[in-house]
Amino acid sequence: MAKTLRLAWLTLAGLILIIILFLAAYNGRQRVSATTFDPPRKLDSSSSEFNTSAGSLRLSQLNGKLVILNIGYTNCPNYCPTTLANLRRVMELLDPSQAEQVQVFFVSVDPARDTPEKLAGYMSAFNPNFIGATASPAVLDLLATETGSYYKLDQPDAAGY
């Protein structure tokens, strides 16, 4: 039973990745950078606290779901909204029973400007089930290290961007 369930999850993860890559290639105007972990691995940051509009959340609370982790920020002009739009399309292609097993989790690396409330509005523009979160700089650094991501925050300009 456990092998069958694991195979089903890996098949679903592979299908989602193929769909994302197909949509990105179809778009043709952007480069996609994604990291997949096969087999999936537990992140040390999964027990860290993330701040959402619904309160504190730990990735470990999403246990049992396939989590698609997206790291970005709401003022991102190109890649972040395009990636989220592609993920929205992916979710629309899944049947409802598959979609309820998947959680898109967007973590902002700009918690000073991306409040949990701002993220909730931003996420709902793509899919009301997508979760947007912020975290402390220490948690963001740990998450970036674990996922092989890099980010750098510039000082806001006079308009706050």
Side-chain angles (χ1 to χ4, degrees), residues 102-120:
V102 178
Q103 181 62 64
V104 173
F105 191 73
F106 180 89
V107 178
S108 172
V109 294
D110 191 6
R113 291 179 272 196
D114 290 344
T115 64
E117 293 72 27
K118 183 176 182 179
L119 284 164

Side-chain angles (χ1 to χ4, degrees), residues 71-150:
I71 302 171
Y73 57 103
T74 62
N75 288 313
C76 173
N78 300 321
Y79 297 108
C80 300
T82 303
T83 300
L84 289 167
N86 285 339
L87 288 170
R88 176 187 62 222
R89 283 186 242 148
V90 166
M91 296 300 284
E92 290 168 353
L93 292 172
L94 298 175
D95 69 51
S97 66
Q98 291 172 319
E100 71 184 30
Q101 297 175 37
V102 178
Q103 181 62 64
V104 173
F105 191 73
F106 180 89
V107 178
S108 172
V109 294
D110 191 6
R113 291 179 272 196
D114 290 344
T115 64
E117 293 72 27
K118 183 176 182 179
L119 284 164
Y122 185 70
M123 293 290 100
S124 69
F126 296 98
N127 183 310
N129 295 319
F130 288 6
I131 297 173
T134 63
S136 69
V139 170
L140 293 175
D141 289 344
L142 175 60
L143 185 63
T145 298
E146 290 179 317
T147 60
S149 302
Y150 170 80

Side-chain angles (χ1 to χ4, degrees), residues 3 7 10 15 19 23 37 43 64 77 88 108 112 120 138 148 152 159:
K3 266 188 166 177
L7 180 61
L10 290 175
L15 175 64
I19 293 170
L23 290 172
F37 300 106
L43 300 175
R88 176 187 62 222
S108 172
K152 177 184 173 225

